[in-house]
Amino acid sequence: MFQPNLMEPGSLHPLEMGQNTSESDVPRIREDEFDSATKSGSENHEGGASGEDQDPRPKKKRYHRHTQHQIQEMEAFFKECPHPDDKQRKELSRELGLEPLQVKFWFQNKRTQMKTQHERHENTQLRAENEKLRADNMRYREALSNASCPNCGGPTAIGEMSFDEHHLRLENARLREEIDRISAIAAKYVGKPVVNYSNISPSLPPRPLELGVGAAFGGQPGIGVDMYGAGDLLRSISGPTEADKPIIIELAVAAMEELIGMAQMGEPLWLTTLDGTSTMLNEDEYIRSFPRGIGPKPTGFKCEASRETAVVIMNHVNLVEILMDVNQWSTVFSGIVSRAMTLEVLSTGVAGNYNGALQVMTAELQLPTPLVPTRESYFVRYCKQHADGTWAVVDVSLDNLRPSPSARCRRRPSGCLIQEMPNGYSKVTWVEHVEVDDRGVHNLYKQLVSSGHAFGAKRWVATLDRQCERLASAMATNIPTVDVGVITNQEGRKSMMKLAERMVISFCAGVSASTAHTWTTLSGTGADDVRVMTRKSVDDPGRPPGIVLSAATSFWLPVPPKRVFDFLRDENSRNEWDILSNGGVVQEMAHIANGRDTGNCVSLLRVNSANSSQSNMLILQESCTDTTGCFVIYAPVDIVAMNVVLNGGDPDYVALLPSGFAILPDGTTTHGSGIGETGPSGSLLTVAFQILVDSVPTAKLSLGSVATVNNLIACTVERIKASLSPESA
C-alpha cells in the first residue's frame, strides 16, 4: 500500500498542509498610535502634531504627502473596490508602507470626492434637460394657441382639439413616460430613441473577456485569479464608452420586459417534456414573442433555456442586495461563479434602494471539474421594482458592442423575479437563457451539459435555496443543547462558518477549467486524466507560504450521487479512502447543521493516529448537498488556531489548503436527474488535492513531489472505486 512519508520536507504532512499563523504574527495597530489631528485633504495629504511634544508653543502641523506610487495603487484599487474591508486595508497598508488608518481615511475622502463630482455632473445634466423640457413646453403651448379647426379653418374652441393636436399630446405623453422610465435608471441619460438591437452587428460573435476578482461576502478573500496574487487581469478591462451607455440603458429596459414575459408565460413559449419533469423553450415561439433582441444566434452555438421556481428562506430586500453586490453574489454562488467583477455602475438606484440600479459586469461561470470550459460573459445587470411589489433582476450580454470571434457564450435576458412572501420568505422564479459553443466539453460531461442541468436555472435556484438555509443557520440563536458536539456559542458558530465558507470558495475557485488556471495532464498515472498545476503562496495569512501543488481528476461511478455523498462525508468510512489519516480513527468533535438535509453540515473532525508518536490532527469539513450537486470539502487545521476560532476569534488568519470532492449526476437519470434519485443513474466525481510541497516560495518543483501527489490521488480514486462498486453494496 502507498504510504507517503509525512515527516520529510516536501511530503504530505497534514499539519504542514494547514500551517497555523499565530496571533503574535498578526500586525496590531492601536488607535492611540495615531495623532488625533491626522487628516487627508483633497490632494491626499495626511499629517498631525506629535503627542509627545510637550512644548507649549504652538507649532505648525506637519502634512505628509503620499507618494505617486501609493496614490496610483490606491486609485487602481478604488476603481475595483471603493469600500475595502479591514483585511483589504491591512494588505494595502502592508504593500504601500502606510498605516491601516491612513488607508481608511484616504478611501473615505476619495468616496466623498467622487460623490461630490458625481452630484455636480448630475445637476448639470438635469439643468440642461430641464431647459430642454421647458423649450418643448413653450413649443407645445404655441402650437395650441395657433391650432385651427380642420373642417372650417377657424380657431379651435376651448375644450376642443384638432387631430394633429391630439396626436401631439399623445406623443408628448409617450415621450414623458419614456423620459420618466429612463430617468429612474440613470438620470443623466434621458429621452434617447429606442434602438433596434438586432441591427447592431448581428453576425459578429461576442467579445472575449479577461475577468477580474470579486472580494467575497463577509470580508473573505477574493474569488479567482487573485487568490494567488495574479490580479493584473483586472486592470486590463475597460468599462463602456460614453457612446455605449445610452444603448446599454435601452437594452437593459428591453431585457427587463423580456425577462418578465419569459418568467410568466406558459405554453406555447414553454413546452413540457415527454416525461413531464421539466420544460423546454419553443425557439420559434420565442422569436415571434420577442423580436427585438441582441440579434440572431451565432453559427455553431446551441441554445440553453430553462425556468425554475422555489420558495427560499430570505426576505426580498436581502435577496436583491445579494444579486446587486458582486462580492456577495460571487460568494453565495461560489460553486457556479468562479470570478466576477463590476466594471462600471451607471446608476445606484433611487429612493435609497436598488430600484433602477444599473451596472456593467463581467463574470466567469464554472462547473466543478477541469473537464468543462468555463463560460465568460460581458453583460449589463438591471434591477427594478414593479408596481405589484415584485422585484426583478436581469442580465443581458453586451458582446455585440465589442465583438470578437473567440467568445463562446452570450446571455440573452436571464435573471429572476422575487416576490415577497409571509414570515421572511420569498418566491423566486429564475430564467436562464444562453447561447453557447460547447465543443470543448469532455465526453464524460457532454450529457450533463447538453441536458441543460449543468448551468441551468435549476442549479441556480437550488444553490440559492441551500445558501439561504445556511445563512439562516448562521444567524440562529435558539440552538438545542441536547446533541453532543453541537456548537452553541454564537460567536464561535459565526467564526467557524466563516472559516468553512472561505475553505469552500477556495476549493471551488481552484478546481475548474478557469482561464486563470493552467492545468497539465499527466499520462500513465493509474487514474483517469490526472491534471496538475502549481501556485506560489506569498504574504497571505490565509494560506501557508510556499509552493502549492494542485491535482484533480474526474471519473464516472455506476452508483447514484446520494450514495457517493453519504459515503464520503461519513467519518466512520473515512479510513476506507483517506490515505492521509494513516489508518487512524476519525471522530467528529463538533458540528453545525446548515439546513433541512442532514448532509448540510460543518464539522470539526479529530484523527486519532494509531501511531502514538504522531500528534493527533484536526480536520475542518463542510458537506453540502442540493438537487443538482454535492460537495465534501475539507482541510487540516492547527489545533491552537481552531481553539481561537471556536471562541469567536478572527478566522481570516487560519491557514487553509482545501481538498475534497464535487459530485454531480451524470445526466442520464430518467426522472429529473436529481441527487436524491435511487434509480440506475451514475455519478460524476471530481477529486482534488492541494498540497504544500515546499515552504519556500522561490523553490523549484521536484519531479518527486509530482509523483507523490500523483500516487496520492491515484490511490484515493482506486479506494473509492473499490468501496463503491456495485459488488461492494
Side-chain angles (χ1 to χ4, degrees), residues 384-390:
K384 184 173 178 61
Q385 183 181 20
H386 296 275
D388 60 354
T390 300

Side-chain angles (χ1 to χ4, degrees), residues 382-621:
Y382 173 37
C383 177
K384 184 173 178 61
Q385 183 181 20
H386 296 275
D388 60 354
T390 300
W391 287 78
V393 178
V394 66
D395 298 342
V396 63
S397 278
L398 302 175
D399 304 309
N400 283 331
L401 296 177
R402 300 178 185 179
S404 170
S406 60
R408 301 192 302 179
C409 177
R410 68 174 184 169
R411 294 173 68 78
R412 287 193 177 271
S414 302
C416 64
L417 269 60
I418 304 171
Q419 180 181 349
E420 182 180 6
M421 301 285 285
N423 302 319
Y425 285 77
S426 298
K427 180 181 179 181
V428 177
T429 301
W430 199 291
V431 174
E432 196 67 17
H433 189 189
V434 301
E435 292 164 342
V436 62
D437 178 2
D438 62 0
R439 286 175 292 184
V441 176
H442 192 279
N443 289 335
L444 196 63
Y445 284 84
K446 277 191 178 296
Q447 180 65 32
L448 178 63
V449 173
S450 62
S451 68
H453 291 108
F455 294 94
K458 186 174 183 179
R459 187 170 172 226
W460 286 94
V461 169
T463 301
L464 178 63
D465 186 24
R466 172 170 52 80
Q467 291 284 44
C468 288
E469 286 190 355
R470 188 185 195 279
L471 183 59
S473 172
M475 300 174 62
T477 56
N478 54 341
I479 309 300
T481 59
V482 293
D483 295 335
V484 177
V486 174
I487 301 176
T488 57
N489 176 11
Q490 185 71 9
E491 294 303 318
R493 288 172 60 88
K494 289 182 178 179
S495 293
M496 186 166 168
M497 292 187 68
K498 186 178 178 183
L499 180 60
E501 179 183 77
R502 172 159 66 89
M503 177 179 67
V504 171
I505 291 172
S506 176
F507 175 85
C508 292
V511 75
S512 70
S514 169
T515 54
H517 301 160
T518 303
W519 291 99
T520 300
T521 302
L522 302 180
S523 59
T525 61
D528 296 334
D529 292 335
V530 175
R531 288 163 169 79
V532 297
M533 65 178 167
T534 58
R535 299 175 178 180
K536 293 182 180 180
S537 176
V538 183
D539 295 332
D540 188 343
R543 293 179 188 85
I547 303 294
V548 176
L549 181 61
S550 300
T553 187
S554 299
F555 57 97
W556 180 78
L557 284 170
V559 290
K562 182 68 163 60
R563 184 183 167 200
V564 180
F565 175 68
D566 289 340
F567 170 75
L568 293 173
R569 75 179 181 88
D570 187 356
E571 68 271 15
N572 295 321
S573 59
R574 190 180 188 97
N575 57 9
E576 294 185 38
W577 58 265
D578 188 1
I579 298 172
L580 296 184
S581 63
N582 203 23
V585 177
V586 181
Q587 177 185 4
E588 183 181 69
M589 296 178 57
H591 70 271
I592 303 173
N594 282 340
R596 292 165 293 185
D597 195 300
T598 55
N600 290 321
C601 181
V602 176
S603 303
L604 187 62
L605 309 175
R606 178 190 293 274
V607 180
N608 298 311
S609 175
N611 186 349
S612 59
S613 63
Q614 288 188 344
S615 60
N616 296 335
M617 73 174 185
L618 297 182
I619 296 176
L620 177 67
Q621 175 175 292

Side-chain angles (χ1 to χ4, degrees), residues 3 67 90 106 114 123 211 251 327 331 415 431 450 499 508 604 632 672 692 706 724:
Q3 290 288 349
T67 66
K90 288 178 182 178
W106 188 91
M114 295 300 294
N123 288 338
L211 297 182
L251 181 57
N327 298 331
T331 297
V431 174
S450 62
L499 180 60
C508 292
L604 187 62
V632 178
L692 183 70
V706 176
L724 291 175

Side-chain angles (χ1 to χ4, degrees), residues 84-95:
D85 54 32
D86 290 338
K87 183 180 178 183
Q88 291 169 321
R89 288 197 297 267
K90 288 178 182 178
E91 291 177 351
L92 267 178
S93 66
R94 184 165 56 249
E95 292 174 3

Side-chain angles (χ1 to χ4, degrees), residues 223 308-314 319 322-323 328-338 365-368 428 430 432 453-472 501 504-505 508 594-596 600 622 624-631 663-665 675:
I223 300 175
E308 190 75 15
T309 299
V311 176
V312 300
I313 182 170
M314 182 176 288
L319 282 176
I322 287 174
L323 295 173
Q328 296 188 45
W329 179 64
S330 300
T331 297
V332 169
F333 296 101
S334 59
I336 305 175
V337 181
S338 58
L365 307 183
Q366 66 176 348
L367 205 63
V428 177
W430 199 291
E432 196 67 17
H453 291 108
F455 294 94
K458 186 174 183 179
R459 187 170 172 226
W460 286 94
V461 169
T463 301
L464 178 63
D465 186 24
R466 172 170 52 80
Q467 291 284 44
C468 288
E469 286 190 355
R470 188 185 195 279
L471 183 59
E501 179 183 77
V504 171
I505 291 172
C508 292
N594 282 340
R596 292 165 293 185
N600 290 321
E622 174 151 359
C624 50
T625 179
D626 58 48
T627 57
T628 62
C630 312
F631 292 93
I663 311 159
L664 300 174
I675 291 299

